[in-house]
Each structure stands twice: as C-alpha cells, then as structure tokens.
Amino acid sequence: MIRRASAYGCKEDLPIKQTALFNRHQQSGASWIEQYGWQVPAYFSKPEDEAARVRESVGLADLSWMLKFDVKGYGLKNTLALGEGAFSWVLGPLHALVTCNPSRRREVMDRFQGLQTAGADLSLPPPIYVTEVTSAYAQFLLAGPRCRQVLRKLTSLNLSEASLPDLACGQSSLAHVHAIILRHDLNGIPAYQLLVSREYGESVWESVLHAGYEFHLEPFGLQAHQLLKA
C-alpha cells in the first residue's frame, strides 16, 4: 500500500499497482521502488553493471508502468501534436497508440481534450476517441547491440534498418502472441519496446529471455534504464 494525500487533505491508503511480471521479478531477486503508483524493479544487481551489459550486448526491462492510450477517429488524418516526450505510433488507418511517461499525463490529456473540442461540429462524432490501455498491456524494453538478433528468433517481422528504423512501429506475432513492436533507440543504442496483452506477459518475457540466452540476456531495472537515457 502507498499513503497519498486525498483531495480533502487527509491521508488515504491506495494500492500500488503491480505489472504482470511481479512474481517473476520477485523470483529474480528484484529490489523494488514505487514509480507513479506502480511497484517496479529498481535493480536486480548493481545498476552500473546492468547498464554496461545493455551497452555491450543486450538487456530486458519491464516498462508496463508507462502510460499508453489507444486513439481512433478521423482527427488522426493530421499528425497528433502531443509535445516533447509523448509519442504517437500509427497502428492503422485512423488508429494510433500514444505512449509517454506518466509525468506527462495531465499535459497529454489536455491536448487530447483540445483535439476533441477545437472547431468541432456538434453534428459530427468527436474527432478522436481516446481509451487509456496502460494496464491492458505488458510492455517490455529489449535494448542493446544484440537486441535485433534476439528478436529475430521470435518474430517474422522485417527488422532491417530500412523497414523498421528508429521511431517506426509494426505489428506481428511474437513468441506466438500478437504484439506491437516499437523501435525506440536509447541514445544510439538499438532498442525495441514490445507490447503484448497483459495475460501473455509472463510467457512472452520468458520466451525473450530464452531467445537471448546465448547473449547472456538478463533483466535490468529502472535505475539502469535511467543511466542509459542520461
């Protein structure tokens, strides 16, 4: 449980959310930290060592706590302008996935509200429909020079630089489960964000670790992730 101030100034107990990988991380010896209301691994070993392994080979992190919004509607005919730190990924005609750090929630929601109301014709449907899907997906970060070699064992999606460059996305089967694959490099380090339905999170996590065994793939925590982004 986490203690937070309510709107009336008193304290109330609110549960900390747990990702689909909580039990798996617990078994792996994770040290925990609260991140925007989620219980996430701070580290599994020394953060500096975890970051070094990612830079040299490959690592896997649980980013399920990141904000995710499913956006649909004719308003997507134009590019979504959501500001720095929020990313709009095209999933299909008039369909996008928006991801961002939870610290940007209010700003992103305000922008959604503006898009829904600016110049809207009340006789027409809203320009966009927005559904938060943060808890619906397990979201993993596979990063490092070897990440493409690991991913190729699990999906038939064309991962070449020409087909899936930085900030591009695709949808494909991943370890026999439908997945959204986002290419989002970390300061020049090749990286992919993998989104699957929460119910398949643990099995896909295990499949990715198994595929990366020859490269000594291990999980890394929030502190190493912050070092890699710095």
Side-chain angles (χ1 to χ4, degrees):
M1 305 289 283
I2 181 171
R3 299 283 288 177
R4 290 183 180 167
S6 73
Y8 300 99
C10 59
K11 297 289 185 179
E12 59 181 350
D13 287 322
L14 296 176
I16 292 181
K17 299 176 184 178
Q18 296 174 344
T19 77
L21 275 298
F22 175 79
N23 290 330
R24 179 65 174 80
H25 296 328
Q26 192 88 310
Q27 294 168 6
S28 299
S31 293
W32 300 97
I33 190 171
E34 188 267 331
Q35 178 80 341
Y36 299 106
W38 289 80
Q39 192 169 11
V40 302
Y43 53 85
F44 296 88
S45 59
K46 288 183 62 176
E48 294 80 6
D49 292 343
E50 292 178 359
R53 283 195 295 269
V54 173
R55 293 189 183 99
E56 294 167 5
S57 183
V58 66
L60 184 65
D62 185 358
L63 297 188
S64 300
W65 52 271
M66 295 288 286
L67 276 183
K68 296 172 277 291
F69 298 95
D70 185 82
V71 185
K72 296 178 180 177
Y74 66 86
L76 293 177
K77 290 179 181 178
N78 300 316
T79 302
L80 284 177
L82 297 172
E84 184 179 356
F87 299 88
S88 177
W89 310 88
V90 177
L91 300 182
L94 307 184
H95 186 195
L97 176 74
V98 170
T99 61
C100 65
N101 190 289
S103 64
R104 299 282 323 286
R105 174 187 288 275
R106 177 170 294 182
E107 182 179 350
V108 169
M109 293 301 293
D110 286 346
R111 288 178 181 265
F112 283 149
Q113 183 68 25
L115 289 168
Q116 288 173 324
T117 58
D121 184 340
L122 297 181
S123 66
L124 297 174
I128 60 171
Y129 292 90
V130 180
T131 305
E132 182 175 349
V133 292
T134 302
S135 296
Y137 286 101
Q139 180 177 355
F140 311 141
L141 172 65
L142 182 67
R146 300 285 191 179
C147 66
R148 189 179 289 115
Q149 292 168 267
V150 174
L151 206 51
R152 280 178 173 150
K153 296 182 180 183
L154 301 169
T155 181
S156 60
L157 185 68
N158 188 342
L159 302 174
S160 68
E161 195 66 34
S163 294
L164 201 69
D166 189 23
L167 299 181
C169 71
Q171 298 184 71
S172 180
S173 174
L174 176 71
H176 309 293
V177 171
H178 178 264
I180 300 171
I181 300 176
L182 314 176
R183 172 78 182 274
H184 196 176
D185 293 351
L186 282 172
N187 285 335
I189 301 172
Y192 297 89
Q193 295 184 22
L194 315 174
L195 285 79
V196 299
S197 178
R198 180 186 173 96
E199 63 190 287
Y200 299 116
E202 189 167 356
S203 65
V204 173
W205 177 272
E206 294 291 348
S207 295
V208 176
L209 286 176
H210 180 74
Y213 179 79
E214 68 174 294
F215 305 115
H216 308 288
L217 174 60
E218 294 183 12
F220 64 96
L222 180 65
Q223 292 184 7
H225 186 208
Q226 292 171 338
L227 290 173
L228 293 165
K229 293 194 301 179

